[in-house]
Amino acid sequence: MGNKKFDLLYSCLLKTLPFIVFTAIILIPIGITFLCISHKVNIKEQIVDYTDCKAFEFDSDGSLTCAEKNVPCVCFHNINITDSLEGDVTVYYELESFDQLRSDYVNSRDDNQLMGVAVPIPSENCEPYRFVHTTKEKISISPCGAIADAMFNDTYELRNTYSNIITPFRKFGILTEDDKVGYHNPENWEDFKNFSKPINWDKNIWELDTSNSENNGFQNERFIGWMKTEWKRKPYARIDKAQTQFENGLQAGEYELRVGYNYPSSRYSGRRKFIISANSTTTYTSLNAIGIISLVIGLILLVIASVAFIIHKRIKGNEADNNGDVDAVNENLTSNHQPHIPEDNLYRP
């Protein structure tokens, strides 16, 4: 090739190429594996079944449960959190035997309406929760359908019994953007007022969170969570870590859960659960470093092997072209210098 150093280097590279490829193939999956195991997700939960909590009334002996009384009702439940719940702490509720997967129930909705399209007449799928009938007229319901009409409305407040501090619940930032796909408010908020609230609601759709327009109407995260019929656990709130006392999550201690028992037992008589779930991630620095180093070295070796292979192919291609040119020149020289034999001499014995 004309350059002895390059030829020597190139020859050595070709000899070690199989080893380089083999090493890269080994290091890359090792690096990925170490990166995966270097991050451990820790989930801690506190589950409270408050179905039979005693009704709180000043003039009562406290023998009746909220399930036995007419709603609304208030009851209290003591919670002992033995280990601190660190990281992102989310509050859920769960209705143990509420069946949201029946076909007639799942389809009882108007997706165009939920997308913010101002449709004056809701989908027939919403029957019998499509219109509110008055003596003078019938008014379209928004949101229509059995799912929305059955939205659960118990409320919760968590207070530390020692410090008397109420845990700050944030009503938004619970869901991901993917979770909220398909739920949009109409461009004109006044369009909401042409509709009636669902039959069993005590407020209108535009009153779900009047303090935050991004979490109001069809975009309300508690509403979206309820409409997700495949979810057994429904998101209620997330503990606000912006508050100084809660920046690391929920500390261990004695707490009192105040329940606004608003959902009638006549509509759901099964078990009701309040769930505090903490999600934190532990990173093992040494394993993470090994994973990064292995992955980087493996990728570098793979790039070197690829470049060497490309150079090898090009050199071989050039040599083949050069050999072809040399053969063509030799053939021309042979034909041009061949001695001329007269035709008469060709037939002489």
Side-chain angles (χ1 to χ4, degrees), residues 22-57:
F22 176 77
T23 305
I25 291 174
I26 295 297
L27 286 178
I28 290 175
I30 288 177
I32 294 173
T33 302
F34 272 88
L35 285 176
C36 291
I37 64 175
S38 67
H39 300 281
K40 181 182 178 182
V41 177
N42 305 302
I43 299 176
K44 292 182 180 180
E45 292 187 341
Q46 190 88 16
I47 302 175
V48 178
D49 187 328
Y50 67 90
T51 312
D52 301 317
C53 65
K54 301 295 183 180
F56 175 78
E57 290 181 343

PDB file of all heavy atoms in Angstrom, residues 22-57:
ATOM      1  N   PHE A  22     -16.049  -9.713  19.568  1.00  0.00           N
ATOM      2  CA  PHE A  22     -16.497 -10.593  20.661  1.00  0.00           C
ATOM      3  C   PHE A  22     -16.568  -9.824  21.986  1.00  0.00           C
ATOM      4  O   PHE A  22     -17.539  -9.949  22.746  1.00  0.00           O
ATOM      5  CB  PHE A  22     -15.529 -11.783  20.780  1.00  0.00           C
ATOM      6  CG  PHE A  22     -15.842 -12.691  21.922  1.00  0.00           C
ATOM      7  CD1 PHE A  22     -16.889 -13.612  21.852  1.00  0.00           C
ATOM      8  CD2 PHE A  22     -15.089 -12.630  23.098  1.00  0.00           C
ATOM      9  CE1 PHE A  22     -17.189 -14.444  22.923  1.00  0.00           C
ATOM     10  CE2 PHE A  22     -15.379 -13.461  24.173  1.00  0.00           C
ATOM     11  CZ  PHE A  22     -16.429 -14.371  24.073  1.00  0.00           C
ATOM     12  N   THR A  23     -15.531  -9.019  22.260  1.00  0.00           N
ATOM     13  CA  THR A  23     -15.502  -8.240  23.506  1.00  0.00           C
ATOM     14  C   THR A  23     -16.648  -7.239  23.553  1.00  0.00           C
ATOM     15  O   THR A  23     -17.293  -7.053  24.593  1.00  0.00           O
ATOM     16  CB  THR A  23     -14.161  -7.503  23.639  1.00  0.00           C
ATOM     17  OG1 THR A  23     -13.080  -8.446  23.536  1.00  0.00           O
ATOM     18  CG2 THR A  23     -14.063  -6.776  24.960  1.00  0.00           C
ATOM     19  N   ALA A  24     -16.917  -6.579  22.421  1.00  0.00           N
ATOM     20  CA  ALA A  24     -18.016  -5.605  22.364  1.00  0.00           C
ATOM     21  C   ALA A  24     -19.359  -6.279  22.619  1.00  0.00           C
ATOM     22  O   ALA A  24     -20.204  -5.759  23.361  1.00  0.00           O
ATOM     23  CB  ALA A  24     -18.023  -4.909  21.011  1.00  0.00           C
ATOM     24  N   ILE A  25     -19.542  -7.450  22.034  1.00  0.00           N
ATOM     25  CA  ILE A  25     -20.807  -8.191  22.207  1.00  0.00           C
ATOM     26  C   ILE A  25     -20.996  -8.593  23.667  1.00  0.00           C
ATOM     27  O   ILE A  25     -22.123  -8.645  24.166  1.00  0.00           O
ATOM     28  CB  ILE A  25     -20.824  -9.433  21.293  1.00  0.00           C
ATOM     29  CG1 ILE A  25     -20.915  -8.986  19.821  1.00  0.00           C
ATOM     30  CG2 ILE A  25     -21.986 -10.351  21.621  1.00  0.00           C
ATOM     31  CD1 ILE A  25     -20.798 -10.125  18.839  1.00  0.00           C
ATOM     32  N   ILE A  26     -19.899  -8.859  24.372  1.00  0.00           N
ATOM     33  CA  ILE A  26     -19.985  -9.232  25.785  1.00  0.00           C
ATOM     34  C   ILE A  26     -20.228  -7.998  26.660  1.00  0.00           C
ATOM     35  O   ILE A  26     -21.073  -8.012  27.567  1.00  0.00           O
ATOM     36  CB  ILE A  26     -18.697  -9.947  26.247  1.00  0.00           C
ATOM     37  CG1 ILE A  26     -18.545 -11.288  25.514  1.00  0.00           C
ATOM     38  CG2 ILE A  26     -18.711 -10.153  27.761  1.00  0.00           C
ATOM     39  CD1 ILE A  26     -19.647 -12.284  25.813  1.00  0.00           C
ATOM     40  N   LEU A  27     -19.510  -6.905  26.411  1.00  0.00           N
ATOM     41  CA  LEU A  27     -19.556  -5.729  27.283  1.00  0.00           C
ATOM     42  C   LEU A  27     -20.880  -4.972  27.207  1.00  0.00           C
ATOM     43  O   LEU A  27     -21.363  -4.468  28.227  1.00  0.00           O
ATOM     44  CB  LEU A  27     -18.399  -4.776  26.946  1.00  0.00           C
ATOM     45  CG  LEU A  27     -17.009  -5.208  27.396  1.00  0.00           C
ATOM     46  CD1 LEU A  27     -15.968  -4.194  26.960  1.00  0.00           C
ATOM     47  CD2 LEU A  27     -16.971  -5.376  28.922  1.00  0.00           C
ATOM     48  N   ILE A  28     -21.472  -4.886  26.017  1.00  0.00           N
ATOM     49  CA  ILE A  28     -22.704  -4.093  25.871  1.00  0.00           C
ATOM     50  C   ILE A  28     -23.847  -4.653  26.721  1.00  0.00           C
ATOM     51  O   ILE A  28     -24.458  -3.912  27.509  1.00  0.00           O
ATOM     52  CB  ILE A  28     -23.087  -3.967  24.388  1.00  0.00           C
ATOM     53  CG1 ILE A  28     -22.071  -3.059  23.669  1.00  0.00           C
ATOM     54  CG2 ILE A  28     -24.501  -3.400  24.234  1.00  0.00           C
ATOM     55  CD1 ILE A  28     -22.286  -2.960  22.169  1.00  0.00           C
ATOM     56  N   PRO A  29     -24.174  -5.953  26.616  1.00  0.00           N
ATOM     57  CA  PRO A  29     -25.244  -6.450  27.495  1.00  0.00           C
ATOM     58  C   PRO A  29     -24.890  -6.417  28.977  1.00  0.00           C
ATOM     59  O   PRO A  29     -25.763  -6.222  29.825  1.00  0.00           O
ATOM     60  CB  PRO A  29     -25.467  -7.892  27.005  1.00  0.00           C
ATOM     61  CG  PRO A  29     -24.272  -8.250  26.211  1.00  0.00           C
ATOM     62  CD  PRO A  29     -23.748  -6.985  25.652  1.00  0.00           C
ATOM     63  N   ILE A  30     -23.588  -6.585  29.293  1.00  0.00           N
ATOM     64  CA  ILE A  30     -23.185  -6.473  30.700  1.00  0.00           C
ATOM     65  C   ILE A  30     -23.450  -5.058  31.210  1.00  0.00           C
ATOM     66  O   ILE A  30     -23.977  -4.860  32.316  1.00  0.00           O
ATOM     67  CB  ILE A  30     -21.690  -6.843  30.863  1.00  0.00           C
ATOM     68  CG1 ILE A  30     -21.487  -8.349  30.700  1.00  0.00           C
ATOM     69  CG2 ILE A  30     -21.169  -6.391  32.225  1.00  0.00           C
ATOM     70  CD1 ILE A  30     -20.037  -8.790  30.768  1.00  0.00           C
ATOM     71  N   GLY A  31     -23.104  -4.071  30.397  1.00  0.00           N
ATOM     72  CA  GLY A  31     -23.335  -2.675  30.780  1.00  0.00           C
ATOM     73  C   GLY A  31     -24.804  -2.373  30.980  1.00  0.00           C
ATOM     74  O   GLY A  31     -25.200  -1.727  31.964  1.00  0.00           O
ATOM     75  N   ILE A  32     -25.645  -2.848  30.063  1.00  0.00           N
ATOM     76  CA  ILE A  32     -27.088  -2.622  30.179  1.00  0.00           C
ATOM     77  C   ILE A  32     -27.639  -3.296  31.432  1.00  0.00           C
ATOM     78  O   ILE A  32     -28.459  -2.716  32.155  1.00  0.00           O
ATOM     79  CB  ILE A  32     -27.808  -3.140  28.920  1.00  0.00           C
ATOM     80  CG1 ILE A  32     -27.395  -2.310  27.682  1.00  0.00           C
ATOM     81  CG2 ILE A  32     -29.321  -3.095  29.093  1.00  0.00           C
ATOM     82  CD1 ILE A  32     -27.926  -2.843  26.379  1.00  0.00           C
ATOM     83  N   THR A  33     -27.172  -4.510  31.711  1.00  0.00           N
ATOM     84  CA  THR A  33     -27.633  -5.248  32.896  1.00  0.00           C
ATOM     85  C   THR A  33     -27.279  -4.514  34.181  1.00  0.00           C
ATOM     86  O   THR A  33     -28.115  -4.351  35.077  1.00  0.00           O
ATOM     87  CB  THR A  33     -27.021  -6.662  32.920  1.00  0.00           C
ATOM     88  OG1 THR A  33     -27.380  -7.352  31.722  1.00  0.00           O
ATOM     89  CG2 THR A  33     -27.511  -7.437  34.128  1.00  0.00           C
ATOM     90  N   PHE A  34     -26.039  -4.037  34.281  1.00  0.00           N
ATOM     91  CA  PHE A  34     -25.611  -3.324  35.485  1.00  0.00           C
ATOM     92  C   PHE A  34     -26.368  -2.013  35.652  1.00  0.00           C
ATOM     93  O   PHE A  34     -26.694  -1.617  36.780  1.00  0.00           O
ATOM     94  CB  PHE A  34     -24.104  -3.064  35.449  1.00  0.00           C
ATOM     95  CG  PHE A  34     -23.286  -4.185  36.035  1.00  0.00           C
ATOM     96  CD1 PHE A  34     -22.872  -5.253  35.248  1.00  0.00           C
ATOM     97  CD2 PHE A  34     -22.944  -4.188  37.374  1.00  0.00           C
ATOM     98  CE1 PHE A  34     -22.139  -6.298  35.777  1.00  0.00           C
ATOM     99  CE2 PHE A  34     -22.203  -5.226  37.928  1.00  0.00           C
ATOM    100  CZ  PHE A  34     -21.789  -6.288  37.122  1.00  0.00           C
ATOM    101  N   LEU A  35     -26.657  -1.328  34.548  1.00  0.00           N
ATOM    102  CA  LEU A  35     -27.435  -0.090  34.640  1.00  0.00           C
ATOM    103  C   LEU A  35     -28.845  -0.373  35.149  1.00  0.00           C
ATOM    104  O   LEU A  35     -29.412   0.415  35.922  1.00  0.00           O
ATOM    105  CB  LEU A  35     -27.506   0.599  33.271  1.00  0.00           C
ATOM    106  CG  LEU A  35     -26.237   1.320  32.808  1.00  0.00           C
ATOM    107  CD1 LEU A  35     -26.424   1.879  31.406  1.00  0.00           C
ATOM    108  CD2 LEU A  35     -25.882   2.455  33.771  1.00  0.00           C
ATOM    109  N   CYS A  36     -29.419  -1.486  34.716  1.00  0.00           N
ATOM    110  CA  CYS A  36     -30.778  -1.836  35.147  1.00  0.00           C
ATOM    111  C   CYS A  36     -30.828  -2.179  36.628  1.00  0.00           C
ATOM    112  O   CYS A  36     -31.731  -1.725  37.351  1.00  0.00           O
ATOM    113  CB  CYS A  36     -31.308  -3.008  34.319  1.00  0.00           C
ATOM    114  SG  CYS A  36     -31.640  -2.598  32.588  1.00  0.00           S
ATOM    115  N   ILE A  37     -29.862  -2.977  37.091  1.00  0.00           N
ATOM    116  CA  ILE A  37     -29.909  -3.404  38.494  1.00  0.00           C
ATOM    117  C   ILE A  37     -29.356  -2.343  39.443  1.00  0.00           C
ATOM    118  O   ILE A  37     -29.491  -2.483  40.667  1.00  0.00           O
ATOM    119  CB  ILE A  37     -29.143  -4.728  38.699  1.00  0.00           C
ATOM    120  CG1 ILE A  37     -27.648  -4.552  38.403  1.00  0.00           C
ATOM    121  CG2 ILE A  37     -29.729  -5.827  37.852  1.00  0.00           C
ATOM    122  CD1 ILE A  37     -26.821  -5.791  38.691  1.00  0.00           C
ATOM    123  N   SER A  38     -28.749  -1.276  38.899  1.00  0.00           N
ATOM    124  CA  SER A  38     -28.219  -0.223  39.769  1.00  0.00           C
ATOM    125  C   SER A  38     -29.318   0.701  40.278  1.00  0.00           C
ATOM    126  O   SER A  38     -29.099   1.489  41.191  1.00  0.00           O
ATOM    127  CB  SER A  38     -27.160   0.598  39.027  1.00  0.00           C
ATOM    128  OG  SER A  38     -27.739   1.335  37.961  1.00  0.00           O
ATOM    129  N   HIS A  39     -30.510   0.615  39.673  1.00  0.00           N
ATOM    130  CA  HIS A  39     -31.643   1.436  40.103  1.00  0.00           C
ATOM    131  C   HIS A  39     -32.737   0.520  40.646  1.00  0.00           C
ATOM    132  O   HIS A  39     -33.269  -0.321  39.927  1.00  0.00           O
ATOM    133  CB  HIS A  39     -32.187   2.265  38.949  1.00  0.00           C
ATOM    134  CG  HIS A  39     -31.189   3.211  38.356  1.00  0.00           C
ATOM    135  ND1 HIS A  39     -30.862   4.416  38.926  1.00  0.00           N
ATOM    136  CD2 HIS A  39     -30.420   3.113  37.248  1.00  0.00           C
ATOM    137  CE1 HIS A  39     -29.950   5.035  38.196  1.00  0.00           C
ATOM    138  NE2 HIS A  39     -29.655   4.251  37.163  1.00  0.00           N
ATOM    139  N   LYS A  40     -33.033   0.671  41.900  1.00  0.00           N
ATOM    140  CA  LYS A  40     -34.051  -0.157  42.542  1.00  0.00           C
ATOM    141  C   LYS A  40     -35.247   0.718  42.921  1.00  0.00           C
ATOM    142  O   LYS A  40     -35.096   1.725  43.608  1.00  0.00           O
ATOM    143  CB  LYS A  40     -33.487  -0.842  43.783  1.00  0.00           C
ATOM    144  CG  LYS A  40     -34.498  -1.746  44.483  1.00  0.00           C
ATOM    145  CD  LYS A  40     -33.900  -2.363  45.745  1.00  0.00           C
ATOM    146  CE  LYS A  40     -34.914  -3.230  46.469  1.00  0.00           C
ATOM    147  NZ  LYS A  40     -34.361  -3.798  47.727  1.00  0.00           N
ATOM    148  N   VAL A  41     -36.428   0.319  42.448  1.00  0.00           N
ATOM    149  CA  VAL A  41     -37.647   1.041  42.774  1.00  0.00           C
ATOM    150  C   VAL A  41     -38.244   0.449  44.051  1.00  0.00           C
ATOM    151  O   VAL A  41     -38.507  -0.753  44.129  1.00  0.00           O
ATOM    152  CB  VAL A  41     -38.673   0.958  41.619  1.00  0.00           C
ATOM    153  CG1 VAL A  41     -39.968   1.669  42.006  1.00  0.00           C
ATOM    154  CG2 VAL A  41     -38.096   1.560  40.344  1.00  0.00           C
ATOM    155  N   ASN A  42     -38.430   1.315  45.041  1.00  0.00           N
ATOM    156  CA  ASN A  42     -39.001   0.882  46.317  1.00  0.00           C
ATOM    157  C   ASN A  42     -40.439   1.370  46.429  1.00  0.00           C
ATOM    158  O   ASN A  42     -40.709   2.566  46.276  1.00  0.00           O
ATOM    159  CB  ASN A  42     -38.179   1.449  47.486  1.00  0.00           C
ATOM    160  CG  ASN A  42     -36.708   1.088  47.375  1.00  0.00           C
ATOM    161  OD1 ASN A  42     -36.363  -0.077  47.329  1.00  0.00           O
ATOM    162  ND2 ASN A  42     -35.854   2.099  47.329  1.00  0.00           N
ATOM    163  N   ILE A  43     -41.347   0.454  46.676  1.00  0.00           N
ATOM    164  CA  ILE A  43     -42.758   0.798  46.826  1.00  0.00           C
ATOM    165  C   ILE A  43     -43.228   0.387  48.218  1.00  0.00           C
ATOM    166  O   ILE A  43     -43.108  -0.779  48.605  1.00  0.00           O
ATOM    167  CB  ILE A  43     -43.625   0.111  45.754  1.00  0.00           C
ATOM    168  CG1 ILE A  43     -43.194   0.571  44.353  1.00  0.00           C
ATOM    169  CG2 ILE A  43     -45.104   0.415  45.966  1.00  0.00           C
ATOM    170  CD1 ILE A  43     -43.938  -0.120  43.228  1.00  0.00           C
ATOM    171  N   LYS A  44     -43.718   1.370  48.966  1.00  0.00           N
ATOM    172  CA  LYS A  44     -44.300   1.112  50.272  1.00  0.00           C
ATOM    173  C   LYS A  44     -45.739   1.587  50.267  1.00  0.00           C
ATOM    174  O   LYS A  44     -46.049   2.631  49.678  1.00  0.00           O
ATOM    175  CB  LYS A  44     -43.518   1.836  51.379  1.00  0.00           C
ATOM    176  CG  LYS A  44     -42.118   1.309  51.623  1.00  0.00           C
ATOM    177  CD  LYS A  44     -41.470   2.067  52.768  1.00  0.00           C
ATOM    178  CE  LYS A  44     -40.057   1.561  53.034  1.00  0.00           C
ATOM    179  NZ  LYS A  44     -39.423   2.321  54.157  1.00  0.00           N
ATOM    180  N   GLU A  45     -46.597   0.837  50.932  1.00  0.00           N
ATOM    181  CA  GLU A  45     -48.013   1.187  50.924  1.00  0.00           C
ATOM    182  C   GLU A  45     -48.619   1.055  52.318  1.00  0.00           C
ATOM    183  O   GLU A  45     -48.188   0.224  53.119  1.00  0.00           O
ATOM    184  CB  GLU A  45     -48.795   0.309  49.951  1.00  0.00           C
ATOM    185  CG  GLU A  45     -48.470   0.558  48.501  1.00  0.00           C
ATOM    186  CD  GLU A  45     -49.382  -0.210  47.564  1.00  0.00           C
ATOM    187  OE1 GLU A  45     -50.014  -1.185  47.994  1.00  0.00           O
ATOM    188  OE2 GLU A  45     -49.434   0.162  46.386  1.00  0.00           O
ATOM    189  N   GLN A  46     -49.613   1.893  52.559  1.00  0.00           N
ATOM    190  CA  GLN A  46     -50.440   1.788  53.751  1.00  0.00           C
ATOM    191  C   GLN A  46     -51.884   1.725  53.265  1.00  0.00           C
ATOM    192  O   GLN A  46     -52.369   2.646  52.598  1.00  0.00           O
ATOM    193  CB  GLN A  46     -50.230   3.011  54.648  1.00  0.00           C
ATOM    194  CG  GLN A  46     -50.860   2.902  56.017  1.00  0.00           C
ATOM    195  CD  GLN A  46     -49.940   2.235  57.025  1.00  0.00           C
ATOM    196  OE1 GLN A  46     -48.737   2.121  56.787  1.00  0.00           O
ATOM    197  NE2 GLN A  46     -50.484   1.782  58.145  1.00  0.00           N
ATOM    198  N   ILE A  47     -52.564   0.606  53.544  1.00  0.00           N
ATOM    199  CA  ILE A  47     -53.928   0.399  53.062  1.00  0.00           C
ATOM    200  C   ILE A  47     -54.886   0.419  54.241  1.00  0.00           C
ATOM    201  O   ILE A  47     -54.678  -0.299  55.232  1.00  0.00           O
ATOM    202  CB  ILE A  47     -54.054  -0.938  52.292  1.00  0.00           C
ATOM    203  CG1 ILE A  47     -53.073  -0.952  51.109  1.00  0.00           C
ATOM    204  CG2 ILE A  47     -55.478  -1.140  51.803  1.00  0.00           C
ATOM    205  CD1 ILE A  47     -53.045  -2.271  50.353  1.00  0.00           C
ATOM    206  N   VAL A  48     -55.921   1.245  54.116  1.00  0.00           N
ATOM    207  CA  VAL A  48     -56.906   1.387  55.185  1.00  0.00           C
ATOM    208  C   VAL A  48     -58.291   1.057  54.636  1.00  0.00           C
ATOM    209  O   VAL A  48     -58.747   1.675  53.669  1.00  0.00           O
ATOM    210  CB  VAL A  48     -56.907   2.823  55.750  1.00  0.00           C
ATOM    211  CG1 VAL A  48     -57.974   2.968  56.836  1.00  0.00           C
ATOM    212  CG2 VAL A  48     -55.529   3.181  56.287  1.00  0.00           C
ATOM    213  N   ASP A  49     -58.941   0.087  55.235  1.00  0.00           N
ATOM    214  CA  ASP A  49     -60.327  -0.234  54.898  1.00  0.00           C
ATOM    215  C   ASP A  49     -61.221   0.554  55.856  1.00  0.00           C
ATOM    216  O   ASP A  49     -61.276   0.261  57.051  1.00  0.00           O
ATOM    217  CB  ASP A  49     -60.566  -1.737  55.036  1.00  0.00           C
ATOM    218  CG  ASP A  49     -61.950  -2.165  54.539  1.00  0.00           C
ATOM    219  OD1 ASP A  49     -62.905  -1.374  54.664  1.00  0.00           O
ATOM    220  OD2 ASP A  49     -62.071  -3.298  54.038  1.00  0.00           O
ATOM    221  N   TYR A  50     -61.895   1.562  55.323  1.00  0.00           N
ATOM    222  CA  TYR A  50     -62.697   2.435  56.178  1.00  0.00           C
ATOM    223  C   TYR A  50     -64.199   2.199  56.007  1.00  0.00           C
ATOM    224  O   TYR A  50     -65.020   3.015  56.453  1.00  0.00           O
ATOM    225  CB  TYR A  50     -62.370   3.903  55.887  1.00  0.00           C
ATOM    226  CG  TYR A  50     -62.786   4.403  54.521  1.00  0.00           C
ATOM    227  CD1 TYR A  50     -64.048   4.962  54.308  1.00  0.00           C
ATOM    228  CD2 TYR A  50     -61.929   4.322  53.440  1.00  0.00           C
ATOM    229  CE1 TYR A  50     -64.430   5.428  53.055  1.00  0.00           C
ATOM    230  CE2 TYR A  50     -62.305   4.771  52.190  1.00  0.00           C
ATOM    231  CZ  TYR A  50     -63.555   5.331  51.998  1.00  0.00           C
ATOM    232  OH  TYR A  50     -63.942   5.789  50.758  1.00  0.00           O
ATOM    233  N   THR A  51     -64.565   1.074  55.385  1.00  0.00           N
ATOM    234  CA  THR A  51     -65.971   0.805  55.073  1.00  0.00           C
ATOM    235  C   THR A  51     -66.876   0.943  56.290  1.00  0.00           C
ATOM    236  O   THR A  51     -67.961   1.545  56.211  1.00  0.00           O
ATOM    237  CB  THR A  51     -66.124  -0.618  54.498  1.00  0.00           C
ATOM    238  OG1 THR A  51     -65.155  -0.824  53.471  1.00  0.00           O
ATOM    239  CG2 THR A  51     -67.524  -0.832  53.940  1.00  0.00           C
ATOM    240  N   ASP A  52     -66.442   0.421  57.428  1.00  0.00           N
ATOM    241  CA  ASP A  52     -67.297   0.372  58.619  1.00  0.00           C
ATOM    242  C   ASP A  52     -66.901   1.401  59.671  1.00  0.00           C
ATOM    243  O   ASP A  52     -67.119   1.187  60.868  1.00  0.00           O
ATOM    244  CB  ASP A  52     -67.239  -1.036  59.229  1.00  0.00           C
ATOM    245  CG  ASP A  52     -67.699  -2.103  58.239  1.00  0.00           C
ATOM    246  OD1 ASP A  52     -68.699  -1.878  57.552  1.00  0.00           O
ATOM    247  OD2 ASP A  52     -67.028  -3.158  58.154  1.00  0.00           O
ATOM    248  N   CYS A  53     -66.329   2.521  59.233  1.00  0.00           N
ATOM    249  CA  CYS A  53     -65.934   3.520  60.226  1.00  0.00           C
ATOM    250  C   CYS A  53     -67.176   4.147  60.866  1.00  0.00           C
ATOM    251  O   CYS A  53     -68.212   4.323  60.228  1.00  0.00           O
ATOM    252  CB  CYS A  53     -65.035   4.578  59.607  1.00  0.00           C
ATOM    253  SG  CYS A  53     -65.804   5.591  58.341  1.00  0.00           S
ATOM    254  N   LYS A  54     -67.042   4.473  62.142  1.00  0.00           N
ATOM    255  CA  LYS A  54     -68.172   4.966  62.925  1.00  0.00           C
ATOM    256  C   LYS A  54     -68.494   6.414  62.566  1.00  0.00           C
ATOM    257  O   LYS A  54     -67.598   7.250  62.436  1.00  0.00           O
ATOM    258  CB  LYS A  54     -67.865   4.872  64.420  1.00  0.00           C
ATOM    259  CG  LYS A  54     -67.554   3.456  64.913  1.00  0.00           C
ATOM    260  CD  LYS A  54     -68.751   2.535  64.781  1.00  0.00           C
ATOM    261  CE  LYS A  54     -68.441   1.148  65.336  1.00  0.00           C
ATOM    262  NZ  LYS A  54     -69.598   0.229  65.220  1.00  0.00           N
ATOM    263  N   ALA A  55     -69.792   6.668  62.444  1.00  0.00           N
ATOM    264  CA  ALA A  55     -70.242   8.023  62.120  1.00  0.00           C
ATOM    265  C   ALA A  55     -69.949   8.957  63.280  1.00  0.00           C
ATOM    266  O   ALA A  55     -70.115   8.600  64.447  1.00  0.00           O
ATOM    267  CB  ALA A  55     -71.735   8.003  61.804  1.00  0.00           C
ATOM    268  N   PHE A  56     -69.485  10.165  62.931  1.00  0.00           N
ATOM    269  CA  PHE A  56     -69.172  11.150  63.969  1.00  0.00           C
ATOM    270  C   PHE A  56     -70.330  12.135  64.087  1.00  0.00           C
ATOM    271  O   PHE A  56     -70.643  12.883  63.158  1.00  0.00           O
ATOM    272  CB  PHE A  56     -67.889  11.898  63.607  1.00  0.00           C
ATOM    273  CG  PHE A  56     -67.557  13.005  64.558  1.00  0.00           C
ATOM    274  CD1 PHE A  56     -66.991  12.710  65.790  1.00  0.00           C
ATOM    275  CD2 PHE A  56     -67.821  14.333  64.229  1.00  0.00           C
ATOM    276  CE1 PHE A  56     -66.684  13.729  66.680  1.00  0.00           C
ATOM    277  CE2 PHE A  56     -67.513  15.345  65.116  1.00  0.00           C
ATOM    278  CZ  PHE A  56     -66.944  15.050  66.349  1.00  0.00           C
ATOM    279  N   GLU A  57     -70.964  12.144  65.265  1.00  0.00           N
ATOM    280  CA  GLU A  57     -72.040  13.089  65.555  1.00  0.00           C
ATOM    281  C   GLU A  57     -71.978  13.429  67.036  1.00  0.00           C
ATOM    282  O   GLU A  57     -71.773  12.539  67.878  1.00  0.00           O
ATOM    283  CB  GLU A  57     -73.410  12.503  65.198  1.00  0.00           C
ATOM    284  CG  GLU A  57     -73.650  12.361  63.704  1.00  0.00           C
ATOM    285  CD  GLU A  57     -75.037  11.798  63.398  1.00  0.00           C
ATOM    286  OE1 GLU A  57     -75.657  11.229  64.311  1.00  0.00           O
ATOM    287  OE2 GLU A  57     -75.486  11.947  62.255  1.00  0.00           O
TER     288      GLU A  57
END
